[in-house]
Amino acid sequence: MLIVFFLPHLLYFSSYWSKILKMKKDNKPDNTAFTQQRLPAWQPVLSVGIVLPLFFIIGLAFIGIGIGLLITSNNIQEFEEEYTGIGDNSNCYICANNATANCKCTLNFTIAQPIQGSVFMYYGLTNYYQNHQKYLSSRDDQQLAGETYYLKNPSQSCKPYQMDINNNPIAPCGSIANSFFNDAFALYYNNQGFLDEVKLDGSAIAWWTDHNVKFSNPSQTGSNLSQIFEGTVKPINWSKPVYNLDVNNPDNNGFINEDFLVWMRTAALPDFRKLYRRISGNYSSFMPSGNYTLEITYNYPVKDLPGKKKVIFSTVSWMGGKNQFLGIAYLVFGSLCFVMGFILLIVYAKYQNVEDNDD
Amino acid sequence: MNAFLVVYLCILISKALVNTVLKYVWQSNPNRDEPWYNQKTESERQRNTFLKAFTDFLAFMVLFNYIIPVSMYVTVEMQKFLGSYFITWDEEMFDDELGEGALVNTSDLNEELGQVEYVFTDKTGTLTENNMQFIECCIDGHVYVPHAICNGQIMPGTTGIDMIDSSPVEEGMESEELFFRALCLCHTVQVKEEETIDGIKKGLQQCSKSSSSSVYISSSPDEVALVEGMKRLGFTYLRLKDSYMEIQNREDSIERFELMEVLSFDSVRRRMSVIVRSHTGDYYLFCKGADSSIFPRVIKGKVEQVRARVEHNAVEGLRTLCVAYKMLKKDEYESVCRQLNSAKLALHDREKKLAEAYDEIEQDLILLGATAVEDRLQEKAADTIESLHKAGMKVWVLTGDKMETAAATCYASRLFHRNTQILELTTKRTEEQSLHDVLFELSRTVHQHSGSLSRDSISGLSQDMQDYGLIIDGATLSSVMKPTEDGSSGNYKEIFLEICRNCSAVLCCRMAPLQKAQIVKLIKASKEHPITLAIGDGANDVSMILEAHVGIGIMGKEGRQAARNSDYAIPKFKHLKKMLLVHGHYYYIRIAELVQYFFYKNVCFIFPQFLYQFFCGFSQQPLYDTAYLTLYNISFTSLPILLYSLIEQHVGMDILKKDPYLYMDISKNCLLRWRTFIYWTFLGVFDALVFFFGAYFLFDNTTLTSNGQMFGNWTFGTLVFTVLVFTVTLKLALDTHYWTWINHFVIWGSLLFYVVFSLLWGGIIWPFLNYQRMYYVFMQMLSSGPAWLGIILLITVSLLPDVVKKVICRQLWPTTAEKIQTKRQCLTVEQSTIFMLSQTSSSISF
């Protein structure tokens, strides 16, 4: 930045010096291609003749890509169930209105077509502004990176969740952490009357770099996590302390709990989904058609926002999840290029002669 | 440019206002204002609503302030400063004789060089060489022509003089000698001795042979020419010593005259006088000056013959001076002395009193004769004027010379053609008719013509339109400018301007220096507000150089005053052609693109951020990371446009010089008009919409990776930003017509720099930052197939409309420059095909 501002001055002085040096010689300007503005140059002209084939090529290529994308997108199977609990007849109505902790409700759904391939399970929220400026900045990356000083002295930006009423530091501090999504799901396959649990795998749902580099627990030799976090308090809305998030897997606790990492990667738009689990075990590569039961531990309040909660099951291809937009956009734009090409061709053919007559 | 800025300021403020208002409308629902997951601190809750609204407004202003391209000013200044070097560097504008090239005194006006509509030029020293040659003199109607060249062969005496008319009789001899002495004495020439005192003596003896030993120096080249001419006719001015002027006459004897008074030259009086005392004790007053200022003061002498000769010479384009004298008696001289002294000592109005005294003294003269001095046209002056005409500029010659001389020069310099119809607005005519009638008659003539022209142009019959040239002299001009008695002051001026507008060339002769500035001012203030350029070489041109938008000084013989007071100084008039047609043209298209592009790229930059506010609860959340916000204008997109604005050449230099018509392509500020500006702005808005909503739909509730993981808001912003940087840079690439290796380097280099920077910025945990929001965001984005496809799609979509517009405009309504580009393209293609054909045929023949 500085260089840019000082560049004119530098040049001025350099020219000044060159003037002094040139005093001895005559002051005839240098005859270089640059100073005489005669550098060899390629001088392309955007004429119809060049652009026309370009349009057709782009059109063809884009239509091709578009078709490929659409087919891929259509092969992706996606299944979405809302469980907000609005409306008397919905299963989670009671849980949504009774604010008791760990209220359970179940959701039954049918998968008509068997799903081939690995299936990912997402939870989705709507009308939830994770991208609100105040919310987004209410975190302390240094605390989350495991720096011991910041563990006890969280950043001001975490306010109002920096310290609790007793002036104890909150770990992890800030609004984002405090509003950590705390619904839990269990999935069962209705196999001729009895319920077979579908195993859910919660590993590698967050970015590898988040898990291994950006976030880490404060380290202290010879002490376990709960000792390290001594002196801090859990975020106000949390039921469990951060070192006890995953009771089944002790390595998945603290700041590097994967569910927590997923939540901390704030969504771009107010309607978003986040990866919850991958289906593993017997059903990891094939989910048969039939009835399923989703058991929901309902904790997360969205009714007042007013927002919706949903779970999504989706397969994934090389291009990610289901996304019709990209394919359609490519198709539409490719065709547009083609149409434009034809229009240009007509213009070209019609007015070519006029120009020739001019000459 | 400033008007555009005001528009953008309005856009900025309205954007901030709209967002603030919407924010509070949106927040009226408490669940939105303070949802449970995003609670405020106690102090935030208690803040005054109006204060909050105001801070919100300011925060939005800060968020959107990038739309006002502050960096544009820095870049424009740099472009002007660096760009002006191309003028000084230009070898074609270097004059070997002077050993100097063009000088740029201010770089602020580079682009105005491309917008000039009126060129006001001085004649002497600008159009002409200001290298005077004594041609002839006329004494009492007898014409004397010195031998063509003073090569040292001419002996003193009558042999050196060809007498065209008749040999002088006795009394002729006397007035002849008086005339020569007059010219030898009546001047302010100084003699510069080149050798030592011994050398002078040698020089004195050999004076007629070697003129190099003593050099005459004067502020006026005419005087030097005259004194040198006299030397060739046998009377050599030696020096001024102890207020004695020494002349060596034909008999090689030295005559000494005591110099009593010098009534120095000024351009209002147009004459000068000296009072000398001869060795016999007689007082003489010698006066020389323009014919118009001498003839009215003459009481004796062969006025008619001299006047005829003067007019004859003037028509030939020679500069003429008349010489007169008067004998003063001692008491007369003393009264003159008193007069002069009292005027010189006056405390108030000294100038005026001096002028009055001069006026009184220079009366009742006896006409001796006239001289003719030639001032050759500068090299390529005619060609330059013709090109300027073709480029649609109106050329005005403003000179102090008499009308016939000036008109002859104008014909020679092709300011007037043979078929130019000359309209005269001179004292001669206004003596016959009233000024009013003349003006109306002229305007009628001009309008008749323009009426018929419009008819003709409809029928498409007339090819070359009738050219009008106007000649006006100083006296008439001042009466035109003078408010009329009945109070309608602007009346004549308007008619006069109307006439001038229809004339392609105007010659103003007998102008005083201030009148030159007055004319420039008059044109400048006319209702079209044309850009004016004044070019001159002497001190008397300074006022007009300062008055005009662009002032150009010629590094002439009359000192460097004009060059120092000008915006640009060039060695010769012919360099004006390249200055305007090439440099001016280039600077204009460069700066126009620079300005428009800057607005465009900042709209593209900020508009997505504006749109993002609608999706983040109007919370002033920036879409891009801080580093991107800061570096966008400074390093990602600044260099390509700076370079473009320095070296872009849409058409070759030679073509610009060959086809002056191209200058009209950019006349009337056509690239910076509202239409273009609005087009660029809309293009920016369109691109911004494409970026934002493209990314929006791409991210809409889906994963973009094959491992099912989700992207966050910073990936969203980075995707938009990547598309933005690429689109904006490629848009410039599409506009570039002149791809040197530097362009390639800078354009691809800055894209590469963006990628490398982003990789680095996201690749490291930066220890000095307290947030790591960008960590691995860019890499993660690049690892996603749909993100790549999306980026490619969005870049293409945002560039397409501009390409289509360009191609269609080029095909249907090509500008002259575009036609030439196409033609050149065809030629090169043809050449290469011919080359290929010849190669194949030769290979076949083998």
Side-chain angles (χ1 to χ4, degrees):
Chain A
M1 189 166 168
L2 278 175
I3 289 175
V4 173
F5 281 114
F6 282 111
L7 198 61
H9 303 273
L10 285 175
L11 278 163
Y12 176 76
F13 282 115
S14 67
S15 71
Y16 176 73
W17 277 108
S18 65
K19 258 181 211 159
I20 288 180
L21 292 175
K22 265 183 202 157
M23 298 261 260
K24 291 167 197 162
K25 299 180 226 161
D26 72 311
N27 49 2
K28 195 171 170 107
D30 302 333
N31 182 15
T32 60
F34 176 70
T35 57
Q36 301 309 314
Q37 307 195 57
R38 291 195 186 277
L39 281 174
W42 171 54
Q43 292 165 290
V45 171
L46 264 187
S47 62
V48 173
I50 295 168
V51 174
L52 255 184
L54 206 74
F55 269 51
F56 287 117
I57 291 168
I58 290 180
L60 273 180
F62 275 29
I63 288 173
I65 295 172
I67 290 171
L69 282 173
L70 260 189
I71 290 171
T72 327
S73 176
N74 284 336
N75 283 339
I76 292 170
Q77 284 159 298
E78 197 178 273
F79 194 83
E80 188 178 298
E81 278 295 323
E82 193 198 318
Y83 70 96
T84 323
I86 304 167
D88 301 338
N89 49 356
S90 73
N91 298 13
C92 291
Y93 179 72
I94 296 165
C95 284
N97 290 297
N98 271 4
T100 50
N102 295 329
C103 172
K104 303 256 180 182
C105 58
T106 53
L107 196 71
N108 294 315
F109 57 90
T110 314
I111 290 179
Q113 295 279 317
I115 300 177
Q116 303 282 347
S118 51
V119 177
F120 291 74
M121 182 180 171
Y122 296 87
Y123 61 88
L125 295 173
T126 64
N127 200 21
Y128 190 102
Y129 285 84
Q130 260 207 320
N131 57 7
H132 193 281
Q133 194 261 339
K134 210 161 71 65
Y135 180 82
L136 202 60
S137 55
S138 184
R139 63 193 281 166
D140 185 352
D141 275 354
Q142 277 159 314
Q143 189 191 47
L144 296 171
E147 292 180 32
T148 30
Y149 173 79
Y150 294 99
L151 181 68
K152 303 282 164 62
N153 302 281
S155 146
Q156 287 284 334
S157 62
C158 285
K159 274 184 174 175
Y161 303 106
Q162 184 193 16
M163 304 283 185
D164 74 346
I165 317 156
N166 306 323
N167 215 20
N168 293 317
I170 298 174
C173 73
S175 299
I176 310 180
N178 186 50
S179 59
F180 180 32
F181 185 76
N182 54 2
D183 282 2
F185 306 97
L187 184 63
Y188 300 95
Y189 176 55
N190 226 335
N191 198 357
Q192 286 141 14
F194 76 99
L195 296 174
D196 183 17
E197 188 178 359
V198 178
K199 286 244 171 63
L200 300 174
D201 175 15
S203 68
I205 54 173
W207 290 16
W208 187 91
T209 47
D210 282 359
H211 188 251
N212 292 291
V213 186
K214 192 173 161 184
F215 293 76
S216 57
N217 285 321
S219 60
Q220 205 174 316
T221 42
S223 49
N224 61 17
L225 271 182
S226 62
Q227 284 166 328
I228 293 169
F229 278 99
E230 221 173 70
T232 65
V233 291
K234 65 180 172 61
I236 290 146
N237 287 359
W238 288 22
S239 55
K240 302 177 265 194
V242 69
Y243 49 83
N244 215 10
L245 281 174
D246 192 342
V247 276
N248 304 320
N249 182 3
D251 288 340
N252 193 22
N253 273 318
F255 294 149
I256 56 167
N257 174 277
E258 297 230 19
D259 283 324
F260 178 63
L261 297 183
V262 166
W263 183 254
M264 291 307 282
R265 184 146 293 279
T266 45
L269 299 164
D271 296 350
F272 61 89
R273 62 170 74 164
K274 281 173 184 288
L275 184 55
Y276 182 68
R277 293 288 183 270
R278 280 172 298 128
I279 287 175
S280 65
N282 297 334
Y283 298 93
S284 67
S285 56
F286 178 75
M287 270 177 89
S289 57
N291 291 327
Y292 288 83
T293 301
L294 185 70
E295 195 186 80
I296 302 154
T297 314
Y298 195 111
N299 283 318
Y300 209 68
V302 292
K303 202 174 63 117
D304 292 340
L305 297 179
K308 286 178 189 156
K309 297 199 284 188
K310 47 197 174 186
V311 282
I312 303 107
F313 299 93
S314 170
T315 58
V316 156
S317 70
W318 63 272
M319 61 164 286
K322 205 174 187 67
N323 191 351
Q324 302 278 23
F325 164 73
L326 204 55
I328 292 172
Y330 262 100
L331 265 182
V332 167
F333 186 65
S335 335
L336 212 69
C337 272
F338 241 85
V339 172
M340 273 296 166
F342 277 114
I343 291 175
L344 285 182
L345 194 67
I346 292 165
V347 168
Y348 188 55
K350 206 167 178 184
Y351 292 93
Q352 179 76 359
N353 304 332
V354 177
E355 202 181 304
D356 285 349
N357 289 345
D358 270 3
D359 301 339
Chain B
M1 194 165 97
N2 287 323
F4 299 162
L5 215 61
V6 171
V7 170
Y8 269 63
L9 197 69
C10 293
I11 294 177
L12 167 69
I13 291 171
S14 52
K15 266 185 181 176
L17 264 179
V18 163
N19 268 346
T20 318
V21 169
L22 284 177
K23 179 179 174 140
Y24 283 88
V25 170
W26 188 80
Q27 279 182 354
S28 57
N29 181 343
N31 274 324
R32 285 189 186 143
D33 183 27
E34 195 178 354
W36 65 267
Y37 56 85
N38 187 16
Q39 302 221 318
K40 296 176 180 175
T41 58
E42 205 51 45
S43 61
E44 277 170 340
R45 276 185 204 129
Q46 278 161 2
R47 209 175 287 160
N48 182 307
T49 322
F50 288 104
L51 199 68
K52 259 197 296 193
F54 185 66
T55 42
D56 276 329
F57 174 72
L58 287 186
F60 279 121
M61 290 283 274
V62 170
L63 193 67
F64 301 143
N65 81 79
Y66 297 90
I67 199 174
I68 302 291
V70 178
S71 57
M72 180 175 82
Y73 277 88
V74 182
T75 318
V76 164
E77 284 309 311
M78 271 168 70
Q79 190 267 350
K80 284 181 169 175
F81 174 76
L82 298 176
S84 59
Y85 273 94
F86 284 115
I87 293 182
T88 33
W89 280 335
D90 196 330
E91 234 188 355
E92 282 175 41
M93 302 221 287
F94 183 82
D95 190 64
D96 288 311
E97 213 177 296
L98 274 170
E100 271 179 293
L103 274 181
V104 180
N105 295 331
T106 162
S107 51
D108 264 356
L109 301 165
N110 290 345
E111 75 278 6
E112 295 210 337
L113 288 176
Q115 290 296 304
V116 174
E117 286 172 65
Y118 282 87
V119 174
F120 296 94
T121 160
D122 175 42
K123 189 178 81 73
T124 314
T126 308
L127 284 180
T128 61
E129 293 257 13
N130 207 5
N131 184 6
M132 305 291 177
Q133 291 290 331
F134 181 76
I135 296 297
E136 61 161 52
C137 55
C138 159
I139 306 164
D140 285 354
H142 307 296
V143 179
Y144 295 71
V145 181
H147 238 269
I149 315 146
C150 171
N151 51 7
Q153 309 297 333
I154 305 158
M155 295 308 290
T158 45
T159 46
I161 308 171
D162 288 340
M163 264 146 288
I164 291 175
D165 288 17
S166 58
S167 56
V169 282
E170 254 331 271
E171 45 136 6
M173 267 309 265
E174 198 179 302
S175 60
E176 179 195 314
E177 297 214 329
L178 194 58
F179 177 84
F180 292 157
R181 288 199 184 95
L183 280 181
C184 278
L185 295 171
C186 183
H187 55 70
T188 51
V189 171
Q190 284 177 324
V191 183
K192 188 182 169 197
E193 313 284 354
E194 292 209 328
E195 283 157 78
T196 53
I197 296 178
D198 289 339
I200 288 175
K201 275 189 180 150
K202 219 161 77 186
L204 289 180
Q205 277 138 21
Q206 300 176 336
C207 173
S208 57
K209 286 182 183 170
S210 72
S211 56
S212 65
S213 61
S214 57
V215 179
Y216 297 119
I217 297 173
S218 166
S219 61
S220 150
D222 293 71
E223 290 197 325
V224 177
L226 287 176
V227 175
E228 272 173 356
M230 283 308 106
K231 186 153 117 188
R232 279 186 274 157
L233 288 171
F235 282 81
T236 313
Y237 171 63
L238 293 179
R239 58 183 160 163
L240 175 70
K241 193 184 170 193
D242 308 333
S243 78
Y244 279 93
M245 294 175 108
E246 296 178 357
I247 305 176
Q248 188 179 34
N249 65 12
R250 288 180 183 162
E251 285 79 41
D252 266 352
S253 57
I254 291 175
E255 297 172 15
R256 285 157 62 89
F257 292 86
E258 188 179 358
L259 182 62
M260 310 304 288
E261 294 286 347
V262 178
L263 284 62
S264 55
F265 178 84
D266 66 65
S267 44
V268 179
R269 233 164 84 245
R270 300 173 178 289
R271 59 179 182 266
M272 71 161 292
S273 307
V274 291
I275 300 175
V276 294
R277 190 172 66 181
S278 70
H279 57 283
T280 54
D282 296 326
Y283 290 93
Y284 290 94
L285 181 142
F286 292 115
C287 179
K288 80 166 191 253
D291 53 344
S292 62
S293 60
I294 297 284
F295 284 137
R297 296 167 185 276
V298 166
I299 49 162
K300 228 175 94 186
K302 299 188 172 166
V303 181
E304 282 319 306
Q305 287 101 315
V306 175
R307 192 196 291 274
R309 192 67 203 165
V310 164
E311 262 156 30
H312 171 260
N313 284 337
V315 172
E316 300 272 294
L318 303 175
R319 288 161 71 89
T320 55
L321 283 175
C322 293
V323 183
Y325 83 106
K326 157 163 111 169
M327 292 274 279
L328 292 173
K329 296 191 190 74
K330 193 167 167 52
D331 54 327
E332 273 174 340
Y333 166 70
E334 270 157 14
S335 77
V336 163
C337 264
R338 267 198 305 281
Q339 238 178 326
L340 281 177
N341 280 333
S342 69
K344 275 179 196 161
L345 293 174
L347 290 174
H348 302 289
D349 301 328
R350 188 183 302 160
E351 300 277 315
K352 202 177 143 202
K353 282 185 178 153
L354 260 181
E356 278 168 9
Y358 288 164
D359 193 49
E360 211 164 299
I361 296 162
E362 290 162 336
Q363 286 285 6
D364 307 330
L365 307 171
I366 301 160
L367 188 66
L368 278 169
T371 59
V373 167
E374 190 189 20
D375 188 6
R376 260 176 306 150
L377 271 187
Q378 277 198 10
E379 182 194 359
K380 287 187 185 162
D383 169 57
T384 308
I385 292 222
E386 213 166 21
S387 313
L388 296 185
H389 264 164
K390 278 188 196 157
M393 283 176 247
K394 299 206 162 96
V395 183
W396 290 44
V397 174
L398 312 179
T399 175
D401 281 0
K402 65 185 269 126
M403 185 186 127
E404 287 80 7
T405 317
T409 317
C410 288
Y411 275 108
S413 60
R414 279 185 255 165
L415 184 72
F416 297 149
H417 295 268
R418 221 171 299 125
N419 54 358
T420 309
Q421 191 181 336
I422 302 289
L423 312 170
E424 271 184 42
L425 194 62
T426 51
T427 348
K428 221 186 283 173
R429 263 193 90 174
T430 45
E431 271 164 11
E432 294 160 14
Q433 288 169 288
S434 74
L435 177 67
H436 185 267
D437 293 343
V438 177
L439 273 173
F440 273 93
E441 202 187 309
L442 290 181
S443 76
R444 215 168 24 247
T445 326
V446 169
H447 276 285
Q448 216 169 22
H449 149 72
S450 61
S452 66
L453 173 82
S454 57
R455 264 203 309 281
D456 282 348
S457 59
I458 291 165
S459 60
L461 282 172
S462 92
Q463 267 293 314
D464 54 341
M465 44 184 268
Q466 174 73 48
D467 251 353
Y468 283 97
L470 178 74
I471 299 179
I472 184 166
D473 61 9
T476 323
L477 183 75
S478 54
S479 51
V480 166
M481 306 277 270
K482 213 164 48 192
T484 45
E485 277 101 28
D486 52 23
S488 55
S489 59
N491 199 11
Y492 285 163
K493 258 193 224 174
E494 280 309 306
I495 302 167
F496 175 64
L497 278 176
E498 192 55 45
I499 297 169
C500 293
R501 231 169 264 145
N502 289 297
C503 294
S504 57
V506 177
L507 165 65
C508 306
C509 43
R510 292 261 182 258
M511 301 284 281
L514 272 179
Q515 270 184 318
K516 290 186 178 181
Q518 239 174 5
I519 276 226
V520 175
K521 201 172 187 173
L522 180 73
I523 296 298
K524 230 169 92 174
S526 71
K527 63 173 182 281
E528 296 97 348
H529 297 289
I531 304 282
T532 54
L533 178 144
I535 177 166
D537 72 320
N540 59 345
D541 306 316
V542 170
S543 61
M544 95 174 160
I545 285 175
L546 292 178
E547 181 66 44
H549 293 100
V550 185
I552 295 193
I554 303 257
M555 303 163 180
K557 296 199 169 147
E558 293 185 19
R560 297 189 67 102
Q561 237 158 325
R564 243 185 287 123
N565 283 296
S566 61
D567 303 314
Y568 302 91
I570 50 177
K572 287 272 150 63
F573 184 71
K574 65 174 176 184
H575 298 133
L576 188 65
K577 182 176 169 184
K578 191 167 186 200
M579 190 91 161
L580 295 183
L581 298 186
V582 180
H583 288 296
H585 198 145
Y586 280 159
Y587 283 126
Y588 180 71
I589 58 150
R590 288 167 186 174
I591 202 107
E593 173 88 9
L594 174 72
V595 169
Q596 303 282 23
Y597 178 75
F598 252 96
F599 282 112
Y600 160 80
K601 85 181 165 105
N602 283 299
V603 169
C604 286
F605 180 43
I606 282 312
F607 210 70
Q609 190 139 269
F610 171 71
L611 294 172
Y612 192 53
Q613 298 309 310
F614 289 83
F615 297 91
C616 72
F618 306 100
S619 60
Q620 296 118 28
Q621 171 60 31
L623 181 57
Y624 319 113
D625 179 49
T626 326
Y628 287 158
L629 277 174
T630 319
L631 291 181
Y632 176 72
N633 271 325
I634 292 175
S635 44
F636 296 145
T637 60
S638 64
L639 270 186
I641 180 64
L642 178 65
L643 191 84
Y644 174 98
S645 67
L646 285 176
I647 66 176
E648 164 72 356
Q649 297 180 17
H650 61 314
V651 192
M653 226 184 280
D654 306 319
I655 297 169
L656 279 182
K657 252 201 304 193
K658 211 175 65 199
D659 289 331
Y661 302 103
L662 284 172
Y663 195 79
M664 283 197 267
D665 253 19
I666 54 161
S667 65
K668 311 260 181 219
N669 206 9
C670 74
L671 296 180
L672 284 172
R673 276 207 242 143
W674 286 105
R675 256 183 62 184
T676 351
F677 171 71
I678 289 168
Y679 170 74
W680 276 90
T681 306
F682 271 102
L683 191 69
V685 172
F686 170 79
D687 285 358
L689 288 172
V690 169
F691 304 156
F692 184 79
F693 285 106
Y696 178 84
F697 287 116
L698 194 65
F699 270 68
D700 192 23
N701 258 325
T702 187
T703 174
L704 295 178
T705 52
S706 51
N707 60 9
Q709 291 169 357
M710 295 299 293
F711 286 154
N713 64 316
W714 297 115
T715 317
F716 181 76
T718 308
L719 185 104
V720 173
F721 193 76
T722 309
V723 177
L724 164 72
V725 168
F726 273 81
T727 305
V728 160
T729 311
L730 290 178
K731 157 81 180 136
L732 189 69
L734 282 177
D735 285 351
T736 306
H737 292 106
Y738 194 73
W739 284 85
T740 63
W741 64 269
I742 315 178
N743 290 79
H744 284 287
F745 179 75
V746 168
I747 286 188
W748 311 128
S750 63
L751 288 181
L752 191 73
F753 173 73
Y754 166 68
V755 174
V756 170
F757 173 84
S758 299
L759 289 176
L760 206 71
W761 186 239
I764 298 173
I765 294 277
W766 292 95
F768 57 85
L769 291 177
N770 52 13
Y771 54 84
Q772 304 295 342
R773 51 169 90 125
M774 291 308 287
Y775 186 64
Y776 253 69
V777 162
F778 192 69
M779 272 82 111
Q780 282 282 352
M781 188 185 82
L782 291 189
S783 69
S784 144
W788 278 88
L789 288 175
I791 290 171
I792 292 168
L793 175 79
L794 297 183
I795 293 172
T796 338
V797 172
S798 29
L799 289 177
L800 186 85
D802 192 47
V803 173
V804 170
K805 179 245 167 194
K806 268 191 191 154
V807 170
I808 287 184
C809 280
R810 174 180 287 276
Q811 195 66 29
L812 298 185
W813 309 282
T815 60
T816 330
E818 283 172 345
K819 274 183 196 158
I820 282 173
Q821 286 169 353
T822 324
K823 213 176 277 176
R824 187 195 58 212
Q825 199 72 12
C826 291
L827 278 179
T828 47
V829 168
E830 265 166 37
Q831 270 167 0
S832 59
T833 40
I834 288 167
F835 179 67
M836 267 155 56
L837 282 176
S838 65
Q839 273 203 326
T840 43
S841 63
S842 62
S843 62
I844 287 165
S845 66
F846 264 114

